[in-house]
Amino acid sequence: MLETVADLRAWRAAQASGSVGLVPTMGALHQGHAELIRRAQAENSAVVVSVFVNPAQFGPGEDLSRYPRTLPRDLELSGGAGASALFHPSADEMYPAGFSTRVQVSGVTERLEGALRPGHFEGVATVVLKLLELARPDRVYFGEKDWQQLAVVRRMVLDLNVPCEVVGVPTVRDTEESPGLALSSRNAYLTPDQRVRATVLSRALRAMQAAYAGGEHEVGALLGAGQAVLAQEPELSTDYLELVGPDLQPLTGSLDAEVAAKARLVLAARLFGVRLIDNMPLLHFAGK
C-alpha cells in the first residue's frame, strides 16, 4: 500500500531490474479492472494499480462526492488479480497547494465526451502524465470502454515522447444478470432491474454491427438501426450515437471495407439519472 509520491518512487526504484505495468483507476474496482491487472501481470515483472478519484476530471454538478469508494475491496481484488502494489494518494498529495499546471491534448478531445464535459480530458491527461512520471512504467493499461480516453492518452504519450507503451484491453461485459452490459463502476448506481434495462446500449451497438454484416453500408441507415433499439427504452436519453474513424471524426456516406475495418460505434446516454458510455468496433469480433 503506497500513499505518497515518495512511497511510489521508492517502490519503483526497487523494481529497477524488471518491467513495470501501471493500471490507473479511480477505484470501485470490478472484473473489468481485474482483467487489466491480469494482462499487466502477464506482461510485466511487477504491477502497480493506482486508486485515485481524480477531482480534476469532474465538472460542476458531476458525481465526484458520491463516486463509489471501496478501498478494502479494491485492495483484495488487486492482489487477487496479481498486482504487486496499490498507490492510493490523497488529493493534496497529487495536487499540493499552488499546483497550477494542466495538460491539454487538442484534436481528439474536442468532440463527444470532450464537448459535453469541458475540462474533463485536461484533468485526465494531467493525472495520467503525473502517474506516468512517478511510476515510470514500461506499459500502462486502459480499458477500451473509455475509447476516447484511450485515444487521448495515446496521443499525449506519442506527442510528449513518454517512454511507455499504451495497451488497450477489450471491454469486459456482464454475462449473467445483465448480459452484454459493459462493466463500469457507475453501474453501482443502478438497481439490478435497471442494469438489465441498461443492456439496451450494447444491444443497439450489436444491431448496428448486424446491419453492417447483413450488407448495409450507409452510415445513416446503420445509425438508424441503433436508434431504433434505443427508442425501445423510454427512460433513456441519448447524448450521442456516432460512427467514427480513428481520429474520432464522424463518418458519413457509404463505407468501403478499409474504412469500416477501422470504424468505431460510440454511444453515451443517461438512464435513471446515470450516465453510461459504451463502444464497439463496427466489424464484430468475438469478445468485443
Side-chain angles (χ1 to χ4, degrees):
M1 181 72 168
L2 313 172
E3 296 184 317
T4 68
V5 165
D7 289 342
L8 180 54
R9 282 180 167 154
W11 177 86
R12 180 61 181 90
Q15 310 302 321
S17 62
S19 63
V20 168
L22 170 65
V23 181
T25 83
M26 291 207 302
L29 303 187
H30 49 66
Q31 287 304 307
H33 296 110
E35 183 62 23
L36 296 177
I37 298 167
R38 285 191 288 266
R39 174 76 175 270
Q41 193 276 333
E43 297 178 353
N44 299 279
S45 303
V47 177
V48 59
V49 176
S50 65
V51 170
F52 178 59
V53 182
N54 178 30
Q57 68 189 70
F58 287 79
E62 294 188 343
D63 58 342
L64 174 60
S65 62
R66 71 184 186 113
Y67 194 86
R69 292 161 170 84
T70 59
L71 185 59
R73 193 179 72 188
D74 295 347
L75 276 165
E76 182 178 358
L77 183 146
S78 297
S84 314
L86 188 143
F87 179 49
H88 179 57
S90 67
D92 288 341
E93 184 71 16
M94 292 298 282
Y95 303 115
F99 188 92
S100 57
T101 300
R102 300 274 284 188
V103 179
Q104 183 177 25
V105 181
S106 299
V108 291
T109 63
E110 291 161 10
R111 304 189 61 257
L112 306 172
E113 294 298 290
L116 293 169
R117 304 178 67 189
H120 169 68
F121 285 121
E122 284 189 12
V124 170
T126 301
V127 77
V128 171
L129 187 59
K130 283 178 68 72
L131 291 169
L132 293 175
E133 172 61 24
L134 293 170
R136 292 184 290 112
D138 298 272
R139 301 174 187 88
V140 62
Y141 296 80
F142 290 91
E144 290 184 353
K145 187 184 80 70
D146 295 284
W147 186 252
Q148 190 173 12
Q149 173 179 271
L150 180 58
V152 170
V153 173
R154 282 177 167 152
R155 183 77 259 171
M156 179 184 71
V157 165
L158 179 65
D159 288 352
L160 299 183
N161 303 110
V162 180
C164 176
E165 178 186 356
V166 181
V167 181
V169 178
T171 302
V172 177
R173 300 180 181 278
D174 190 5
T175 58
E176 298 178 1
E177 289 85 0
S178 47
L181 179 64
L183 298 189
S184 168
S185 299
R186 287 187 169 94
N187 291 351
Y189 297 148
L190 300 171
T191 67
D193 176 67
Q194 289 170 345
R195 286 195 289 273
V196 171
R197 292 173 67 173
T199 61
V200 69
L201 274 73
S202 59
R203 287 188 280 113
L205 299 178
R206 293 291 188 205
M208 296 168 72
Q209 287 180 327
Y212 181 83
E216 180 57 73
H217 293 174
E218 287 291 334
V219 170
L222 294 170
L223 293 174
Q227 290 161 348
V229 175
L230 296 176
Q232 298 170 11
E233 177 46 71
E235 298 296 326
L236 191 81
S237 173
T238 303
D239 282 348
Y240 58 78
L241 172 64
E242 292 193 19
L243 185 57
V244 300
D247 58 357
L248 299 182
Q249 293 300 311
L251 299 174
T252 59
S254 181
L255 304 178
D256 62 31
E258 183 178 356
V259 172
K262 299 177 181 178
R264 201 83 182 183
L265 306 164
V266 293
L267 169 61
R270 296 180 186 273
L271 184 65
F272 301 106
V274 179
R275 192 165 186 278
L276 303 171
I277 62 174
D278 202 351
N279 70 85
M280 293 181 187
L282 177 59
L283 303 188
H284 175 71
F285 302 103
K288 295 188 179 183

